[in-house]
Amino acid sequence: MQGLLKLLRDNRGFLLFLFGMFVFRSAVADWYQIPSGSMEPTLQVGDRVLVDNRAFNLRVPFTDLHVLDYGVPQAGDVITFKSPVDGQRLIKRVVAVAGQRVQAREGRLFVDGHAVAGHAGHVAFGPVRVPAGHVFVMGDHRDNSFDSRYWGPLPIANLYGRALMVVTSLDGVVPRGDRWFLPLPENAP
């Protein structure tokens, strides 16, 4: 026991640094590694995305407990959130916000009756009115995304943060130099 206490005492500066780094990643900024093609072509498998965890709320580090909510995402934002289905962290694009009506028909996406650039994929749905305290999210690769079309509008309480840019990207173990420090486009392709 004395040996452990001495080890902790001798390395307390380093341990405080590590603790501070983990608090920072939990509450301020983090990175998210893209695991699937649901956001292609905007985000590719292997991209590491910088996420601003302060964009919408202030959370107690290492928890989902919100201390203060002060922002809501806008249409076009790429956000990270806790899946309402299984609790996994996901990344998708906000296509509609509270009060808007969203639907897909004939391969086109419509928000409040106006066609949105890009395609809706092969799944027709809606119209769905997004309730207060929610957003409607979809992957940019509409035919390869499990999103609000299947589980409904996303509660704002599930938000983690706003994706800012691709910081690095790996194709397996090979770096993709053309995808480093790449800002995210505001609208879906």
Side-chain angles (χ1 to χ4, degrees):
M1 185 66 164
Q2 289 292 351
L4 178 60
L5 291 175
K6 180 177 178 356
L7 180 67
L8 291 174
R9 193 172 37 253
D10 290 347
N11 293 294
R12 72 176 163 232
F14 178 69
L15 294 172
L16 285 172
F17 168 77
L18 284 178
F19 179 75
M21 184 181 72
F22 287 122
V23 168
F24 181 84
R25 282 192 60 192
S26 175
V28 178
D30 200 357
W31 60 271
Y32 179 82
Q33 184 171 341
I34 305 302
S36 74
S38 72
M39 285 295 293
E40 288 178 344
T42 306
L43 299 172
Q44 297 178 11
V45 175
D47 284 354
R48 286 185 170 85
V49 179
L50 177 64
V51 176
D52 179 359
N53 286 339
R54 302 164 303 132
F56 311 117
N57 55 54
L58 179 63
R59 289 191 330 268
V60 174
F62 313 115
T63 73
D64 290 336
L65 179 64
H66 293 205
V67 175
L68 179 64
D69 292 322
Y70 47 78
V72 294
Q74 301 300 308
D77 284 350
V78 176
I79 62 170
T80 58
F81 57 92
K82 181 171 70 172
S83 167
V85 175
D86 59 12
Q88 287 187 6
R89 184 172 290 220
L90 299 178
I91 188 166
K92 305 288 181 199
R93 185 178 301 276
V94 176
V95 297
V97 297
Q100 293 185 310
R101 286 177 17 150
V102 60
Q103 78 177 113
R105 63 179 189 272
E106 300 170 9
R108 301 283 315 265
L109 182 64
F110 295 86
V111 176
D112 289 336
H114 302 288
V116 175
H119 71 297
H122 292 98
V123 177
F125 68 89
V128 174
R129 180 164 301 278
V130 181
H134 291 73
V135 292
F136 199 92
V137 298
M138 295 174 70
D140 286 356
H141 188 329
R142 309 281 200 241
D143 292 324
N144 184 30
S145 181
F146 185 59
D147 51 38
S148 287
R149 294 173 291 177
Y150 301 98
W151 35 260
L154 175 72
I156 296 291
N158 288 35
L159 297 181
Y160 289 123
R162 177 185 296 120
L164 301 175
M165 71 169 50
V166 175
V167 178
T168 65
S169 185
L170 297 175
D171 184 6
V173 295
V174 178
R176 294 185 190 116
D178 62 330
R179 295 195 56 79
W180 287 37
F181 303 104
L182 184 67
L184 299 182
E186 291 186 22
N187 295 311

